[in-house]
Amino acid sequence: MLKLVVLISGNGSNLQAIIDAIASGFVPAKITGVLSNKADAYGLHRAQQASIPNAHIDHRQFNDREEFDRVMIAQIDQWQADIVVLAGFMRILTPSFVNHFQDRLINIHPSLLPEYKGLHTHKRALEDKRTSHGCSVHSVTAELDDGPIIAQAITPIFPHDTEETLANRVHLCEHFLYPQVLKGLATQEIKIQDNSVYYELKPLHQPIRYVAQLDFEVDT
Ligand code: GRF
């Protein structure tokens, strides 16, 4: 059984989607730990509710990123992670951390990468009058929001969209997408090797793409 460690900083709605997808049998994996850099992250409560081991390591207690990342690595290794899942973890990771978990570290980002790396992705997509938007799951390399893209979920942008309505819809795309990718990794349909992604043993040249259904309900 694939062992996942999920890193969060806040609400943890993606964590919840993963917990639910495992509970329903859709993702054949086990979350062996949830780690937050914030003590009050609601995601820690979600982990407790699901009886998943969890911890918080406050980044402010450390002199530098290297020291913080070393302590995180020790905790994650103790949980024997096969895959480290970044789900709204709001700290930049050091190259040592990324190298330690090479081919085992994935992130979800609220844009169709390589567009809109960084923050305020929904606002920027609206300002640019884009007609579609979405989210990406990618393998993590040392560059921010970089690394081979595994899969994307796409939603249209409607004329009446605000930053909030768009963000809510992209969030639903995320809750759909992360379980899909984790299922692929758990069944080995998807593999990450030497910083490249393989789908059914062939190199993946384009991200796996899903177009979101428009009739889903917005759960805020
Ligand atoms: C998501 O929008 C994710 O794309 C970004 O951080 C947010 C986390 O949301 N990296 P949640 O904590 O899972 O609700």
Side-chain angles (χ1 to χ4, degrees):
M1 189 78 95
L2 191 79
K3 296 194 193 89
L4 310 176
V5 168
V6 184
L7 267 57
I8 57 162
S9 295
N11 181 22
S13 67
N14 278 287
L15 167 66
Q16 189 65 56
I18 298 166
I19 291 172
D20 294 346
I22 291 174
S24 75
F26 182 72
V27 177
K30 179 182 166 76
I31 303 177
T32 55
V34 170
L35 184 58
S36 171
N37 64 315
K38 298 229 168 126
D40 61 354
Y42 186 68
L44 286 176
H45 173 73
R46 296 181 192 270
Q48 282 147 22
Q49 291 291 103
S51 306
I52 297 169
N54 58 90
H56 83 270
I57 302 175
D58 186 344
H59 60 277
R60 293 169 305 184
Q61 289 177 341
F62 300 90
N63 293 325
D64 55 36
R65 285 187 199 278
E66 289 286 345
E67 207 182 316
F68 171 58
D69 281 9
R70 262 199 305 277
V71 175
M72 283 207 301
I73 288 172
Q75 176 62 80
I76 297 167
D77 283 351
Q78 201 182 315
W79 282 325
Q80 302 184 327
D82 295 315
I83 299 283
V84 179
V85 180
L86 302 177
F89 184 69
M90 301 304 281
R91 301 295 302 165
I92 290 174
L93 298 164
T94 58
S96 323
F97 184 98
V98 174
N99 291 337
H100 183 86
F101 294 111
Q102 191 199 319
D103 298 335
R104 295 192 288 145
L105 182 59
I106 60 174
N107 181 42
I108 192 154
H109 182 75
S111 80
L112 298 174
L113 290 170
E115 294 183 328
Y116 305 120
K117 295 179 180 180
L119 297 175
H120 311 299
T121 58
H122 314 303
K123 185 164 180 274
R124 286 153 65 202
L126 285 170
E127 280 168 1
D128 290 349
K129 306 213 179 316
R130 304 308 297 259
T131 53
S132 61
H133 189 42
C135 57
S136 309
V137 173
H138 65 98
S139 168
V140 175
T141 55
E143 296 293 312
L144 183 70
D145 298 330
D146 207 47
I149 302 163
I150 303 170
Q152 297 183 317
I154 303 158
T155 176
I157 295 182
F158 300 117
H160 59 264
D161 264 328
T162 62
E163 199 179 329
E164 196 189 351
T165 59
L166 183 57
N168 285 339
R169 222 162 48 249
V170 172
H171 241 120
L172 292 179
C173 291
E174 294 182 20
H175 301 161
F176 165 81
L177 190 64
Y178 237 161
Q180 300 290 332
V181 171
L182 290 170
K183 180 183 183 163
L185 287 166
T187 58
Q188 301 198 0
E189 191 177 38
I190 298 172
K191 282 192 176 183
I192 309 170
Q193 213 178 318
D194 300 330
N195 275 325
S196 297
V197 179
Y198 296 82
Y199 181 74
E200 292 181 338
L201 302 177
K202 294 189 199 82
L204 185 68
H205 297 299
Q206 297 284 336
I208 303 161
R209 290 194 137 201
Y210 300 92
V211 178
Q213 305 276 341
L214 297 179
D215 56 356
F216 45 46
E217 284 178 23
V218 176
D219 175 19
T220 50

